[in-house]
Amino acid sequence: MSEQWRAQFDAEVSFANGGGLRTEGFRLDLPGRKISDADLAALLVRHLGLLMVAEVRISNVTIIQEPHKGGRGVAGAAPGGRRLVELSHVIHDGLVTLPGWPAPRVSEWLTREASRANYAPGTEFQVGRIDMIANTGTYLDTPAHRFPDGADLTGVPLDRLADLPGIVVRVPPGARALDRLMLAPYDVAGRAVLLHTGWAAHFGTPRYGAPEAPHLTGEAARALAEAGAALVGIDSINIDDMSPAANGERPAHTALLAAGIPIVEHLTGLDALPPDGFRFTAAPPRVAGMGTFPVRAFAVVDA
C-alpha cells in the first residue's frame, strides 16, 4: 500500500449568517504529505458538509503518516475506478459466532475420489456439506426472526438487501450504548446504516461475548425506524444489550424488525469504508421459513 497521510489540527469556523464552531485535535485524510492551511480549511469544510462558511482559521497542524479513515475530500480508489470491501467473517468448521451456541460442521457429502466412479476418466467433482444453525458468521435478521407473522428470507424485498446507499456511524472508543444523540447528525432515510464500534477485533475470542460489548439502545433503534433507515448493521456480537442487566429484553431488534428493517450482525472491516458514498449489499439465499441466515456482506466504493 502506498503511503497515506493525515493532518491533526485545531480549527475555528465562523459562518456568514452568524455563529461558529471550534475543533481541537481534529484529523483528516490528506491527498499527499503536504497541504497549505487554505487547502486544509477547504478540506474540512467539504468533509463536514458545512454551508455559508465565512472564515476558517487553522492552527497547530501536525502531519501524521497513518492509514486513511475515509472522508469526502480524499477519494478511496483510483480515479475512474472502484473497490470492493469485504465486510463478512469467514465461516469455517468449528467457528464460534455466539459463545455457547453450536459451531458449524463443514464436511464432504461426495469426495472427489468417490465421484470418479460416476464420470468419464479424468472427470471428478466435490460436493460439500455444512451443518449449522442460522446464526453463524455474519448474518441477516428478518422480521420473522422476532415475530411469528413477520417476513422471512423470501419475503424481504431485494431493495432492502442489495445495492443500498450506505453510511458509517463511527462510535467513539469505549462507548457502550449507542444512543439517539450519537445518530442525530446523520441522514439515514433509505440508507444502510452501519455502526462501526471496533468490536469485531474480538470476534472468535471469549471477549467477544463480554457484557460490555457495544449495542444500540431501544430509543436509538426507534429513531432509526422513524427516520426511515433501510437496513441497520453492527460489527458487535448483538445489536441489543446482552448483559445480565438487560434482563433478556431486545428493544433494538423489536423496534427495527417491527418496522420491516433488516439487521446485519457480526460485520467486520468497517474501518475500510468512507463515511458515505458507497453501496452496501448483504443478501441471503431465499429459504422459506427461515428468519435468519449468513450473508456475504460487502460494499462498493466508487472513486
Side-chain angles (χ1 to χ4, degrees):
M1 178 183 290
S2 60
E3 292 182 345
Q4 294 184 338
W5 303 89
R6 308 185 78 216
Q8 177 176 302
F9 59 95
D10 300 339
E12 294 183 41
V13 181
S14 57
F15 296 95
N17 59 341
L21 62 85
R22 180 172 182 167
T23 70
E24 295 182 356
F26 199 90
R27 291 195 181 190
L28 274 181
D29 296 350
L30 299 181
R33 185 172 184 175
K34 296 181 179 180
I35 191 169
S36 67
D37 286 357
D39 287 342
L40 186 56
L43 198 64
L44 175 68
V45 170
R46 176 172 172 75
H47 177 78
L48 296 179
L50 301 177
L51 301 177
M52 301 187 70
V53 173
E55 183 183 9
V56 179
R57 293 177 292 278
I58 301 291
S59 60
N60 301 324
V61 179
T62 302
I63 306 300
I64 304 165
Q65 185 175 353
E66 185 177 71
H68 285 174
K69 304 300 183 184
R72 293 188 181 95
V74 177
R82 66 175 191 168
R83 60 188 172 97
L84 296 173
V85 181
E86 179 69 70
L87 302 175
S88 50
H89 291 286
V90 175
I91 295 176
H92 58 80
D93 185 66
L95 171 72
V96 175
T97 302
L98 296 160
W101 291 41
R105 293 291 173 250
V106 181
S107 59
E108 290 182 303
W109 179 78
L110 180 66
T111 66
R112 297 186 185 279
E113 293 75 15
S115 77
R116 293 169 188 164
N118 302 327
Y119 304 102
T123 302
E124 61 183 38
F125 295 93
Q126 184 264 2
V127 179
R129 174 172 179 164
I130 183 168
D131 296 283
M132 67 178 187
I133 61 170
N135 294 52
T136 297
T138 302
Y139 54 78
L140 179 108
D141 290 343
T142 69
H145 179 54
R146 174 67 178 82
F147 303 104
D149 57 349
D152 64 7
L153 297 175
T154 69
V156 178
L158 276 177
D159 61 8
R160 283 298 183 100
L161 305 172
D163 198 33
L164 292 165
I167 60 171
V168 176
V169 177
R170 309 282 186 202
V171 179
R176 183 169 178 270
L178 287 62
D179 59 19
R180 184 171 190 167
L181 188 60
M182 196 175 294
L183 300 171
Y186 300 92
D187 178 9
V188 303
R191 298 188 177 191
V193 182
L194 309 182
L195 308 175
H196 177 210
T197 71
W199 203 252
H202 305 301
F203 186 82
T205 73
R207 181 159 173 72
Y208 192 63
E212 63 269 23
H215 65 274
L216 188 69
T217 67
E219 183 183 16
R222 289 187 289 273
L224 287 172
E226 291 168 2
L231 176 150
V232 181
I234 191 169
D235 61 349
S236 187
I237 188 169
N238 200 295
I239 202 164
D240 271 299
D241 184 4
M242 291 183 63
S243 70
N247 295 318
E249 296 182 358
R250 296 291 185 266
H253 274 91
T254 300
L256 294 173
L257 296 179
I261 300 172
I263 298 168
V264 182
E265 294 175 314
H266 313 285
L267 286 165
T268 188
L270 295 181
D271 57 321
L273 292 180
D276 58 14
F278 62 90
R279 312 291 294 191
F280 177 77
T281 294
R286 300 178 73 193
V287 184
M290 296 284 283
T292 299
F293 209 81
V295 293
R296 183 76 178 265
F298 65 91
V300 179
V301 183
D302 288 321

